[in-house]
Amino acid sequence: MPLPSRARRRQASLGMPTAPRVGVALLAAIALLGTTALAGCGGSGSANIRFPGGSGRTLGQVRAGHRETLVLAPSTFVINRGPNRFAFALFDTSHKLIDASRVALYTSDPSGGSVRGPFFAREESLAVQPRFQSRTVAEDPNAAHFVYVAQVPFGESGPRYITALAEVQGHEVATTVDQLVVDPRGPQPPTVGQQAIPIHTPTVAQAHGNLSSNDTRVPPAPDLQQVDFAQVLGRKPVVLMFATPGLCQSRVCGPVVDIEEQVKSQIGPRVAFIHQEIYKNNNPAQGLRPQVNAWYLATEPWTFVIDRSGRIATRIEGAFSAAELKRAVEKVLV
């Protein structure tokens, strides 16, 4: 979700019929809610679903013949030139989460030209084994259950448009069009290959028995507060997660912290797993914690997998599956 200080520009019209737009703050708040998904995806006619190639077409031509019935709700906002992991959800106009049979993304320049795609997305489950599921997630009927993920390349800096075509119940449909800014101006979170920024993170020992001061998860996860990031950086691989399970409006922070717990149990002590909360004294009114500002984070959650030399090996904005995180961690153990 975008943090309060983040301002995002929305798309301008491309001269195409569009469904009513939902504000960015609202999209972030509902971006991955676990509301009732449409059942029975697939069905007759699915073999005829078209995902046209973008080369030589305008965005309007790619979308032609596809009714715009879905809202594209990104959970990735920081975009750089080169390949990007782009995570998102799909909603209908009544804000019901849609589970599509197939979905592919397309990008264009601000004129609707230079279209690239289709970039097919996969569905990643946010489920964990029951023993790792927190009460935060188990008792939240709106907790996220899955996220779509696609690898999308961007070759130039500046504004780009992104949209999706999807197969839902055997029908071809289109999503709203969203605007992205590739390589936006100003400080950005460190990226893959860069040195991680040293920060001190709270530990169990510093909490003096008040674990909830370091963790809004219920119950707190003390095994993710065992070590100070500054003390292990450059000495062993680290998974550093910035998330606030109890205060995250998009409902993905609880699931991803549970996922970090599960992967930690699978990997063991070879890697330091750390969870860092977002707000001072866990109170949004008091602003962001200094660790969040030091890493230039304007959205959350964020997860960084850092190798033993202190360089970032994987950077993930938003939600992810246990399988995704485990694969990323295994790469720094080779």
Side-chain angles (χ1 to χ4, degrees):
M1 59 171 282
L3 295 173
S5 61
R6 185 173 183 86
R8 296 192 63 234
R9 291 181 291 173
R10 298 297 291 167
Q11 65 144 128
S13 172
L14 292 178
M16 298 176 292
T18 58
R21 290 290 181 261
V22 182
V24 173
L26 179 57
L27 280 181
I30 66 171
L32 291 169
L33 297 182
T35 51
T36 304
L38 293 183
C41 292
S44 61
S46 62
N48 298 319
I49 299 298
R50 299 171 295 123
F51 289 90
S55 180
R57 291 183 168 93
T58 66
L59 205 59
Q61 289 170 336
V62 167
R63 290 160 51 89
H66 299 75
R67 291 182 58 210
E68 185 182 288
T69 62
L70 301 181
V71 175
L72 178 68
S75 67
T76 300
F77 300 100
V78 177
I79 303 294
N80 300 117
R81 282 175 293 178
N84 288 260
R85 176 190 180 275
F86 191 85
F88 63 98
L90 301 175
F91 288 85
D92 66 16
T93 54
S94 67
H95 302 166
K96 290 183 179 179
L97 183 68
I98 301 301
D99 188 356
S101 299
R102 292 188 298 165
V103 58
L105 297 170
Y106 294 82
T107 65
S108 79
D109 64 24
S111 72
S114 301
V115 174
R116 301 184 70 182
F119 304 109
F120 286 92
R122 66 186 186 275
E123 186 176 298
E124 294 283 348
S125 172
L126 305 187
V128 294
Q129 299 170 18
R131 64 192 178 104
F132 297 107
Q133 187 178 66
S134 61
R135 283 170 48 198
T136 306
V137 174
E139 297 177 0
D140 182 0
N142 292 324
H145 298 295
F146 67 89
V147 63
Y148 291 108
V149 177
Q151 290 296 318
V152 183
F154 292 90
E156 298 179 359
S157 299
R160 299 286 292 180
Y161 290 134
I162 190 164
T163 190
L165 301 182
E167 176 186 347
V168 179
Q169 296 182 339
H171 298 288
E172 303 174 6
V173 295
T175 73
T176 51
V177 181
D178 209 74
Q179 179 175 318
L180 306 171
V181 179
V182 181
D183 289 335
R185 296 179 180 179
Q188 299 297 318
T191 191
V192 172
Q194 294 181 342
Q195 200 72 22
I197 299 170
I199 54 172
H200 289 287
T201 55
T203 64
V204 169
Q206 296 168 344
H208 303 294
N210 182 20
L211 296 182
S212 62
S213 65
N214 293 347
D215 193 351
T216 59
R217 182 181 189 264
V218 180
D223 55 321
L224 303 181
Q225 306 170 33
Q226 291 299 314
V227 294
D228 177 356
F229 178 72
Q231 300 303 314
V232 293
L233 178 62
R235 294 176 172 84
K236 66 188 300 186
V238 185
V239 174
L240 176 62
M241 178 182 291
F242 294 85
T244 180
L247 300 171
C248 186
Q249 295 181 37
S250 65
R251 302 301 204 277
V252 301
C253 294
V256 298
V257 174
D258 291 356
I259 285 170
E260 187 181 19
E261 280 262 86
Q262 176 172 303
V263 174
K264 181 181 186 300
S265 75
Q266 296 168 337
I267 298 297
R270 295 174 292 171
V271 177
F273 287 79
I274 298 172
H275 165 223
Q276 168 65 55
E277 278 285 339
I278 301 296
Y279 298 105
K280 293 178 182 177
N281 298 314
N282 299 328
N283 183 350
Q286 296 185 21
L288 304 178
R289 295 195 184 215
Q291 296 92 338
V292 178
N293 286 323
W295 278 61
Y296 304 108
L297 304 181
T299 61
E300 50 86 27
W302 279 88
T303 304
F304 299 85
V305 180
I306 302 159
D307 67 22
R308 57 176 48 85
S309 72
R311 292 190 180 277
I312 295 170
T314 300
R315 183 182 82 167
I316 303 175
E317 181 184 8
F320 53 86
S321 67
E324 281 189 281
L325 181 58
K326 189 169 184 288
R327 287 194 299 268
V329 174
E330 288 173 341
K331 289 180 182 178
V332 300
L333 293 175
V334 175

